Amino acid sequence: MSREQQVLDRIERQRRRRPVVREERITLAHGAGGQATHTLIEAVFLEAFRNPLLAPLDDGALLDLAGARTAFTTDSFVVSPLFFPGGDIGDLAVNGTVNDLAMCGARPVHLSAGFILEEGFPVADLRRITASMAAAARAAEVTIVTGDTKVVERGKADGCYVTTAGVGLVERPVTLSAAGARPGDAVIVSGPIGAHGAAIMLARDDFGIEAPITSDTAPLHGIVDALLEALPEHVRTLRDATRGGVATVLNEVARASEAAVVLHEDAIPVTPEVTGVCELLGLDPLYVACEGRFVAVVDGEHADKALSTIRSHPLGADAALIGTVAPSPAGLVLLRTAFGGTRVVDVLVGDPLPRIC
Amino acid sequence: MSREQQVLDRIERQRRRRPVVREERITLAHGAGGQATHTLIEAVFLEAFRNPLLAPLDDGALLDLAGARTAFTTDSFVVSPLFFPGGDIGDLAVNGTVNDLAMCGARPVHLSAGFILEEGFPVADLRRITASMAAAARAAEVTIVTGDTKVVERGKADGCYVTTAGVGLVERPVTLSAAGARPGDAVIVSGPIGAHGAAIMLARDDFGIEAPITSDTAPLHGIVDALLEALPEHVRTLRDATRGGVATVLNEVARASEAAVVLHEDAIPVTPEVTGVCELLGLDPLYVACEGRFVAVVDGEHADKALSTIRSHPLGADAALIGTVAPSPAGLVLLRTAFGGTRVVDVLVGDPLPRIC
C-alpha cells in the first residue's frame, strides 16, 4: 500500500468513528474551529439539540416563517485584542453575522447584540465598539433592533464579549449548502487569504514582528448578491473562511458533499506580508482566518463568469480560481503543490490561533 | 411643599435629564437592570444604534419579514452558580428567550445559542447544560436551529456563558408595549414573586441560610397564549419580571406610558420563604428577579376575566391583582403600604444581586 493510501485510510477510519469527546475538560482546541470543535459540536450540541434545521450545520439555518424564507444565525465574539489594525470586535461581530447570512443566500436585515462586559471595562472603549458596530451596520444595510447587556466581576471575562444574531431574507430561489459541491465544480476564493488572523497575531505583540497587515473584516453581502444575480442557478456553496481558514471550510464542503476538493497551491492568493508572517510563526495560510473572504463552489462551466463577477466588485478584485471538485477521494481536500506533489489538507487537530474572532 | 411632593420633584428632575454615563468604567450596577443599566442603554447603545425598531426597548423587536409579523429578541446569561435549585443556566437561557418572545405576543418558534466556554470547564457540565436546554426547548415547543462555540483561556470567563436569541411569530392582532398602559387599567402578576433571585442568592452559599426555595424558571408562552386568546383586545402590556423584579418592570411601564402605577402591598404575592430570606438579606422582594412570572396590564373592566384565565393555568394558579394604573404622578410607581401609607417605588441605583441571570 502506498504511503498516500495509508494516509487516506487513516483519515477515513478516523472519520467513520462516531464522534466522541474524549477530554474531560474543555480545551482551547474546542473553540478553534478544527477537529476538536467539530467533535464537540457533533457529540454534544447536535446530540442534545438534534433537529432537521440544525443538522446541516451550515453558517445559518433556513426557516420558513409564515411563508417568509428566512435565514437565522448567531456568532459569539471573543477576539483578543479587542482593537486591531483594520477593525475591532464591534465591526467583526456585525460583519461576521452579516456574512453568515450572506453565505446562506440571504439579504441580511436585522441584528441582535448581546454584550458581556467585565467590571472595570472603560466606557470609552464600549463607545468605540458600539460606534464601530453602528458604522458596520450602516455599511451592511442592517439595523440592530434588540440587545442585552450583562456585567460580570473583574477576572470573569476579558473586557468585552459580543454575541450577535441575525435574520435575513432569502429572496432568490437559490439552494446553497456545504453538501452541494459536485465533481467538475470550480472552487473560487474572493481574495488573498489569512490577513485577519495574521493581523490579530501581530496585534498581540507577543512576537515582536512588524508588518503592514490589516484585518480583512468586511461585509460580503454585496459581492454575494452580485454573484447570485449573475449566476442564480450555478452557485452550489458559499462559505466565509473564518476560524480554521480556507482549509477548514473546504474540508466541511468535501465531507458534506462526499467529494474531493483539489487545490492548486500556485493559485491560492496570499499577500507577501501574510506569507512572511505565516512563515515566521510556522503557520499555513490555508488555516488562517479571514473575516472578509469567502469560498464559492460554482458549476465548472460557469467558473469564468463567476470569477469575473466577483472580481468586478471592489472586495473581490483579487479573487482567484484555486481548485476543482473531483469524485474521489471522497471527503478529502488535496493540495497539488508547486513542486508537483500532492498532500492531504486535513482538518487541524490543535489550535494554532486561539481567540481570533 | 410636602415631603412626598419633594420626592416626586427630585425624581422628576432626575428623569428629565439627558441620560449621561458619568462613570469612566463599567460597574456591576450597569448590568443589574436598574437605573445604571437604563442610563448605559440609553446613552451608549441607543445613541449608537438609534433606529425606530430598537427605540421602544421592549423585550423584543417586532419585525415585518416579507409580510410575516415576527418578534426577535436576545439575552446573554451569566448566572452564578451555573446550577441552582430549580434549574440551571441552560433552561434559564431557553426560558428567558421564550418568555421575551411571549411578552411580545409572539409564539416562540426558533432559537439560536452562542456559548462562551472557559478552558478547563468540565465537558460533563456542558452536557448537563445542553440536556437542560434541549428539555426546555421541547417544553416550550421551540427548536434550537443554529449556534456557535468559543473557548477563552482560564480566568477569562466563569465556566460557561450562554447567549440565546429567538424568533417568534405574532399570529394575533395584538399590540403590546410598555407604553400601552392607561388610567383605569389593572396590574396583575402571574404568581408569587422573587423566588428565582432568592434561590440564586441561597445557592451562592455566602450567607449560611437554608430555605426550601427553588427558582421559578418556566416558559410562559402557554399562559400568555391563553390570556391573549381570552382577551385579544384588552391586554396592554406584558413583561416578564426578570432582572430588577416587578418594581423595575413597572417603572418601565409607568415611564413609557406616562401614567402612574399604584400597587397595594397587601395584594402582592410572596411566599413566606422568600419573604424570610429577603428580610434576612435586607432585600425588597419587589426588586428580586423572577424567571417564570410576568406582569400583565389589562383593561380594568376585564381584570376579573384576565385573572381567572391566568389562574386557570398551572403556572398562574397564585396570580393576583396587585394594583391599578392612575393618571398621576405620571411615570412613577407608588406603593400603598399595609399601614395605610404611600411610598414611591423607584428604579434601583445600585446592584443588590449581581449575575442573577
Side-chain angles (χ1 to χ4, degrees), chain B residues 24-80:
Chain B
E24 288 192 3
R25 292 180 179 272
I26 294 293
T27 67
L28 288 173
H30 287 119
Q35 187 55 50
T37 305
H38 279 263
T39 304
L40 185 74
I41 289 172
E42 288 177 19
V44 177
F45 296 111
L46 199 56
E47 188 66 26
F49 303 151
R50 197 168 291 283
N51 67 70
L53 293 166
L54 176 65
L57 292 176
D58 280 318
D59 282 333
L62 289 179
L63 312 175
D64 180 330
L65 288 178
R69 283 188 80 202
T70 310
F72 182 33
T73 187
T74 193
D75 265 326
S76 292
F77 292 85
V78 299
V79 66
S80 171

Side-chain angles (χ1 to χ4, degrees), chain A residues 81-103:
Chain A
L82 295 171
F83 304 94
F84 47 82
D88 58 46
I89 193 172
D91 46 26
L92 202 63
V94 169
N95 289 339
T97 289
V98 161
N99 292 349
D100 280 348
L101 293 171
M103 297 305 129

Side-chain angles (χ1 to χ4, degrees), chain A:
Chain A
M1 197 189 289
S2 73
R3 202 182 158 277
E4 185 173 310
Q5 192 57 47
Q6 287 176 351
V7 170
L8 298 186
D9 285 355
R10 180 181 54 75
I11 293 174
E12 180 67 25
R13 276 198 310 277
Q14 265 179 6
R15 292 191 175 180
R16 243 190 271 122
R17 279 190 213 134
R18 193 156 165 273
V20 177
V21 178
R22 292 181 195 287
E23 301 84 5
E24 287 192 3
R25 293 180 177 273
I26 294 292
T27 67
L28 288 173
H30 287 118
Q35 188 53 53
T37 305
H38 280 263
T39 304
L40 184 74
I41 289 172
E42 287 177 20
V44 177
F45 297 112
L46 200 56
E47 187 65 27
F49 303 152
R50 196 168 292 282
N51 67 70
L53 292 165
L54 176 64
L57 292 176
D58 280 318
D59 282 333
L62 289 179
L63 313 175
D64 179 329
L65 288 178
R69 282 189 81 203
T70 310
F72 182 34
T73 187
T74 193
D75 265 327
S76 291
F77 292 85
V78 299
V79 66
S80 171
L82 295 171
F83 304 94
F84 47 82
D88 58 46
I89 193 172
D91 46 26
L92 202 63
V94 169
N95 289 339
T97 289
V98 161
N99 292 349
D100 280 348
L101 293 171
M103 297 305 129
C104 300
R107 177 170 63 85
V109 186
H110 298 298
L111 264 52
S112 67
F115 294 85
I116 296 173
L117 304 176
E118 185 188 8
E119 183 185 10
F121 186 62
V123 172
D125 285 357
L126 184 61
R127 285 188 197 277
R128 260 179 88 184
I129 291 167
T130 54
S132 162
M133 292 177 79
R138 273 193 302 276
E141 298 166 272
V142 298
T143 47
I144 298 169
V145 293
T146 189
D148 186 43
T149 311
K150 294 283 155 52
V151 180
V152 295
E153 304 88 335
R154 252 173 234 276
K156 302 294 182 185
D158 194 8
C160 172
Y161 299 144
V162 182
T163 300
T164 42
V167 290
L169 287 168
V170 183
E171 293 163 333
R172 299 178 192 282
V174 294
T175 309
L176 301 168
S177 166
R182 303 177 208 170
D185 285 352
V187 179
I188 295 171
V189 66
S190 67
I193 66 175
H196 175 74
I200 295 293
M201 296 311 282
L202 293 186
R204 283 190 195 152
D205 210 13
D206 293 342
F207 308 103
I209 306 169
E210 287 192 27
I213 299 177
T214 58
S215 167
D216 48 33
T217 178
L220 296 171
H221 65 302
I223 184 169
V224 166
D225 187 57
L227 178 63
L228 294 178
E229 177 72 26
L231 291 167
E233 292 170 17
H234 305 292
V235 181
R236 319 278 199 211
T237 308
L238 297 174
R239 280 287 174 116
D240 55 339
T242 58
R243 253 189 314 185
V246 167
T248 302
V249 161
L250 287 177
N251 266 281
E252 289 167 14
V253 170
R255 224 182 268 204
S257 301
E258 297 176 19
V261 171
V262 183
L263 299 178
H264 298 276
E265 190 171 32
D266 282 348
I268 298 168
V270 194
T271 66
E273 292 79 12
V274 169
T275 303
V277 166
C278 285
E279 277 175 8
L280 282 169
L281 300 180
L283 299 171
D284 181 340
L286 272 175
Y287 293 96
V288 178
C290 321
E291 290 289 340
R293 303 293 179 214
F294 67 97
V295 168
V297 180
V298 302
D299 183 337
E301 293 188 12
H302 298 270
D304 290 345
K305 185 165 182 191
L307 191 59
S308 65
T309 304
I310 295 173
R311 283 186 174 161
S312 67
H313 192 281
L315 286 171
D318 297 314
L321 181 69
I322 61 170
T324 52
V325 179
S328 69
L332 293 185
V333 178
L334 301 181
L335 184 75
R336 304 265 185 246
T337 65
F339 306 104
T342 299
R343 65 175 174 91
V344 176
V345 178
D346 200 6
V347 176
L348 280 195
V349 174
D351 181 11
L353 302 171
R355 296 183 60 191
I356 216 73
C357 60

Side-chain angles (χ1 to χ4, degrees), chain B residues 20-296:
Chain B
V20 177
V21 178
R22 291 179 197 289
E23 302 84 4
E24 288 192 3
R25 292 180 179 272
I26 294 293
T27 67
L28 288 173
H30 287 119
Q35 187 55 50
T37 305
H38 279 263
T39 304
L40 185 74
I41 289 172
E42 288 177 19
V44 177
F45 296 111
L46 199 56
E47 188 66 26
F49 303 151
R50 197 168 291 283
N51 67 70
L53 293 166
L54 176 65
L57 292 176
D58 280 318
D59 282 333
L62 289 179
L63 312 175
D64 180 330
L65 288 178
R69 283 188 80 202
T70 310
F72 182 33
T73 187
T74 193
D75 265 326
S76 292
F77 292 85
V78 299
V79 66
S80 171
L82 294 171
F83 303 95
F84 46 81
D88 59 45
I89 193 172
D91 47 26
L92 202 64
V94 170
N95 289 337
T97 289
V98 162
N99 292 348
D100 280 347
L101 293 171
M103 298 304 129
C104 301
R107 176 170 64 86
V109 187
H110 298 300
L111 262 53
S112 68
F115 294 84
I116 297 173
L117 305 176
E118 186 187 9
E119 182 186 11
F121 186 62
V123 172
D125 285 356
L126 183 61
R127 283 189 198 277
R128 259 179 89 184
I129 291 167
T130 53
S132 161
M133 292 178 78
R138 273 193 302 277
E141 297 165 274
V142 298
T143 46
I144 298 169
V145 294
T146 189
D148 186 43
T149 311
K150 294 283 156 48
V151 180
V152 295
E153 304 90 335
R154 253 173 234 275
K156 302 294 184 186
D158 194 8
C160 173
Y161 299 144
V162 183
T163 300
T164 42
V167 291
L169 287 168
V170 183
E171 293 163 333
R172 299 176 191 283
V174 294
T175 310
L176 301 168
S177 166
R182 303 177 208 168
D185 284 353
V187 178
I188 295 171
V189 67
S190 67
I193 66 174
H196 175 72
I200 295 294
M201 296 311 282
L202 293 187
R204 283 192 194 149
D205 211 13
D206 293 342
F207 308 104
I209 306 169
E210 286 192 26
I213 300 176
T214 57
S215 167
D216 48 35
T217 179
L220 296 171
H221 65 301
I223 185 169
V224 164
D225 187 56
L227 178 62
L228 295 177
E229 177 71 26
L231 293 167
E233 292 171 18
H234 304 293
V235 180
R236 321 277 200 213
T237 309
L238 296 174
R239 281 287 174 116
D240 54 339
T242 58
R243 254 188 315 184
V246 168
T248 302
V249 162
L250 288 177
N251 266 281
E252 289 168 15
V253 171
R255 225 183 268 204
S257 301
E258 297 177 20
V261 171
V262 183
L263 299 177
H264 298 275
E265 191 173 32
D266 282 348
I268 299 167
V270 195
T271 66
E273 292 79 12
V274 170
T275 303
V277 167
C278 285
E279 277 175 7
L280 282 169
L281 300 180
L283 298 171
D284 181 340
L286 272 175
Y287 293 95
V288 178
C290 321
E291 290 288 340
R293 305 293 179 211
F294 67 95
V295 168

